[in-house]
Amino acid sequence: MQQHTTSSTSTKVACYISLFAGVSSAVYAFVARNPETGLVFAIAAIIMGGLSDIKARKSIDDMQVATAGIFMAVVALAVTLWQMYS
């Protein structure tokens, strides 16, 4: 029998902030002219997403939101690295 766990409001907020940071860093990576700043934003979003993913480890739904933020931050990292080295 599975036990349903609910997460706190602060965990949900941290996960959605992680998603917002990942999406905004990806948008910045595509739009910005300065790839070094995009690199810093992407790394910060990855760290923020990892911390919120650890905090949300008891709730699958919150982990999915935080992992989506990490995925978008990795996309931003790839785009900024592509811009830097091409």
Side-chain angles (χ1 to χ4, degrees), residues 32-68:
R33 301 269 187 236
N34 188 2
E36 289 83 15
T37 308
L39 185 70
V40 171
F41 285 158
I43 291 172
I46 289 172
I47 291 171
M48 188 183 311
L51 292 175
S52 63
D53 208 12
I54 290 170
K55 186 174 182 176
R57 67 185 177 271
K58 294 180 182 177
S59 174
I60 297 294
D61 296 332
D62 293 338
M63 280 185 73
Q64 288 176 345
V65 172
T67 304

Side-chain angles (χ1 to χ4, degrees), residues 14-38:
C15 292
Y16 282 107
I17 288 173
S18 167
L19 178 64
F20 178 75
V23 169
S24 61
S25 68
V27 169
Y28 185 81
F30 281 107
V31 174
R33 301 269 187 236
N34 188 2
E36 289 83 15
T37 308

